[in-house]
Amino acid sequence: MLWVLTLLLIPFKIFGQIQIDQVGDNWQPQVVEALELIKKTDITSYNSVLTHCKKISFWSGEFSTVEGNSTITIARGDMGLNSIENIACIIVHESKHLEIIQLKLEFPLQYEECICYLFEMNFIDKLQGEPEWIRENCLNMIMKLECSQESKEFF
C-alpha cells in the first residue's frame, strides 16, 4: 500500500499545502523558489496564497490564469522568462482571483482584474531588487484598466 502512495506522489512536489506539477525544464524548483520569495517578502500575501491555492500547474496558453477554484495555471511563456520575481507576482495575482472565486463574489471582469493587479502591486512594493519591467507591467495594466481607489477596498 505504501508503494502505491509513493508512486502517486512522485509526479508532484508538495510545498506546504500546495501541490506543484512536475513538468517543464526545471519549472517546479522555480515555483518553489517563488513561493519562498513570497513568504520572505510578505507573510500576508503568502498566507493568502496558502489559503486559496491548492495546486500550481502549467499550460501552453498565452496568459497565466486559474483553473477551477483552487488551481493556478502558469503559462509556458511566463516560465520562459526565467524570473522568480515574475512567477511570485503571478502566484500572488492569481491567488487573489482564487479568493474571489472561493468567496463566490461576482465582479465585472475589469473590476476583478483591478483588484488583482492592485494586490499584486502591493506585493511588488515590498519586493527588493525586482526587475523594473515587472513593476512597469503591473502599473501599465492598472492604468490600462483605469483602476480606481475603490478597487483597493477589497484587499
Side-chain angles (χ1 to χ4, degrees), residues 77-144:
D78 286 325
M79 293 305 298
L81 295 172
N82 292 316
S83 169
I84 300 304
E85 295 86 357
N86 188 53
I87 297 167
C89 289
I90 289 166
I91 293 169
V92 167
H93 177 105
E94 299 301 338
S95 72
K96 185 53 81 170
H97 282 294
L98 291 175
E99 178 181 356
I100 291 168
I101 291 166
Q102 290 168 11
L103 292 173
K104 296 181 180 3
L105 299 173
E106 293 186 22
F107 297 118
L109 181 58
Q110 181 176 341
Y111 186 77
E112 181 175 332
E113 283 298 334
C114 283
I115 291 167
C116 297
Y117 276 111
L118 290 167
F119 188 67
E120 179 182 345
M121 183 54 74
N122 185 56
F123 174 74
I124 291 170
D125 286 341
K126 296 172 185 171
L127 271 175
Q128 296 178 351
E130 80 283 353
E132 188 57 33
W133 62 266
I134 290 175
R135 178 179 301 278
E136 288 172 7
N137 180 62
C138 192
L139 282 172
N140 287 339
M141 290 306 298
I142 289 169
M143 287 188 290
K144 179 180 176 181

Side-chain angles (χ1 to χ4, degrees), residues 34-43 46 123 126 128:
L35 288 166
E36 288 290 348
L37 178 61
I38 296 167
K39 183 178 182 180
K40 182 181 86 175
T41 302
D42 182 13
I43 197 66
Y46 179 73
F123 174 74
K126 296 172 185 171
Q128 296 178 351

